[in-house]
């Protein structure tokens, strides 16, 4: 099962189930870690790193997000011992059968089964590019993924064309105003419960005080990269 297969399966699951924004973001980040590690049976993640994955300074918030994933059967974890972080396992949601009555699929993995997933119509699920494809720094990538999770909660998930446009907007504004300012704006828009990212706020902010004290990555137009 490929990275995109797992993303598509999870996105279909989100169409019919509720998951908090933090839990959704955590699952995306765990998928990325498994992908980077070459899909081992499990990965070890301590709670401090777990907090960083969803951009929180509160351990309880990270644990609640982790517990939500465990309760839904999307992941399993084994508590670590001294100097050994907790181990995380991805559940297998690929072995499913179609019900004659309502065309829903159900995993037959026993305690590791997935909840019902509707399969009446095949749809193109939005893709969530990993950091290597977006070119964003760590903080901006975290804000970007948080925004996708936020829109998913509102049942306003991006289609591939809209997602490509969003990434282009973020890249252009990051080059002009800096990644820290764009990341802060995205989080402000979520906190204000806005439907979209209000890009004009960046121009208003740049005319006054900067949004963030964080050092900005500099875009080099000659190489087309960041430094």
């Amino acid at each position: 099962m490929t990275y995109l297969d797992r993303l598509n399966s999870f996105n279909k699951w989100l169409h019919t189930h509720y998951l908090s924004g933090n839990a959704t973001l955590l699952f995306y980040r765990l998928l990325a870690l498994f992908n980077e590690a070459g899909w081992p049976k499990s990965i070890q993640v301590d709670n401090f790193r777990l907090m960083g994955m969803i951009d929180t300074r509160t351990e309880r918030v990270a644990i609640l997000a982790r517990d939500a994933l465990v309760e839904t059967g999307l992941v399993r974890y084994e508590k670590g011992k001294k100097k050994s972080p907790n181990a995380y396992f991805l559940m297998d949601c690929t072995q499913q059968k179609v019900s004659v009555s309502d065309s829903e699929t159900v995993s037959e993995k026993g305690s590791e089964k997935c909840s019902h997933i509707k399969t009446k119509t095949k749809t193109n699920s939005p893709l969530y590019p990993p950091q290597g494809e977006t070119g964003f720094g760590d903080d901006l990538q975290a804000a970007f993924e948080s925004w996708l999770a936020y829109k998913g909660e509102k049942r306003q998930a991006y289609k591939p064309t809209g997602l490509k446009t969003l990434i282009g907007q973020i890249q252009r504004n990051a080059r002009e105003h800096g990644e820290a300012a764009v990341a802060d704006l995205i989080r402000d828009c979520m906190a204000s419960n806005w439907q979209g990212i209000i890009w004009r706020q960046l121009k208003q902010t740049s005319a006054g005080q900067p949004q963030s004290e964080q050092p900005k990555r500099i875009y080099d137009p000659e190489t087309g990269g960041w430094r």
Side-chain angles (χ1 to χ4, degrees):
M1 193 174 187
T2 67
Y3 181 56
L4 290 182
D5 288 335
R6 291 183 179 274
L7 282 175
N8 287 334
S9 178
F10 178 57
N11 290 331
K12 289 180 181 179
W13 184 89
L14 284 176
H15 292 166
T16 54
H17 297 78
Y18 172 77
L19 198 63
S20 70
N22 283 334
T24 301
L25 175 58
L26 180 58
F27 188 78
Y28 287 134
R29 300 309 293 268
L30 285 172
L31 272 184
L33 284 182
F34 272 94
N35 184 50
E36 292 169 5
W39 301 104
K41 181 179 179 182
S42 65
I43 57 175
Q44 289 186 311
V45 182
D46 59 46
N47 287 349
F48 183 77
R49 187 179 185 186
L50 208 69
M51 293 161 58
M53 289 166 69
I54 61 172
D55 194 25
T56 180
R57 297 181 180 180
T58 306
E59 185 176 19
R60 176 174 172 76
V61 172
I63 291 175
L64 287 174
R66 188 269 314 282
D67 290 347
L69 294 179
V70 173
E71 289 173 6
T72 58
L74 292 169
V75 303
R76 177 170 64 87
Y77 93 101
E78 293 180 356
K79 188 175 180 59
K81 300 178 182 179
K82 188 176 182 180
K83 296 183 179 181
S84 179
N86 297 334
Y88 288 81
F89 302 78
L90 289 178
M91 297 297 94
D92 186 1
C93 299
T94 60
Q95 296 186 12
Q96 303 163 348
K97 69 177 183 179
V98 178
S99 168
V100 176
S101 61
D102 56 7
S103 298
E104 292 185 338
T105 58
V106 184
S107 170
E108 295 183 335
K109 295 289 289 182
S111 61
E112 297 182 359
K113 67 182 180 180
C114 294
S115 299
H116 291 68
I117 304 176
K118 293 185 178 179
T119 59
K120 291 182 179 180
T121 305
K122 183 176 181 181
T123 58
N124 293 323
S125 298
L127 305 181
Y128 294 81
Q131 188 170 2
E133 295 182 15
T134 62
F136 301 154
D138 291 341
D139 186 51
L140 183 55
Q141 180 72 16
F144 166 66
E145 293 179 2
S146 293
W147 177 260
L148 296 182
Y150 165 78
K151 295 292 284 185
E153 284 185 343
K154 290 178 171 290
R155 300 295 186 266
Q156 298 171 350
Y158 287 90
K159 299 298 183 182
T161 301
L163 184 60
K164 182 178 179 180
T165 300
L166 172 66
I167 293 172
Q169 289 177 328
I170 294 175
Q171 290 172 338
R172 287 193 299 273
N173 281 280
R175 287 195 292 267
E176 183 176 353
H177 303 284
E179 289 196 344
V182 173
D184 287 346
L185 173 64
I186 292 173
R187 295 189 179 100
D188 287 344
C189 291
M190 289 188 290
S192 300
N193 198 31
W194 289 340
Q195 296 292 325
I197 301 173
I198 314 301
W199 298 112
R200 64 176 179 272
Q201 294 284 79
L202 288 173
K203 294 181 180 180
Q204 296 173 0
T205 302
S206 60
Q209 296 297 322
Q211 280 185 308
S212 175
E213 297 295 333
Q214 299 179 15
K216 298 180 180 179
R217 295 203 307 163
I218 302 174
Y219 179 75
D220 188 343
E222 294 184 0
T223 64
W226 294 83
R227 58 183 176 85

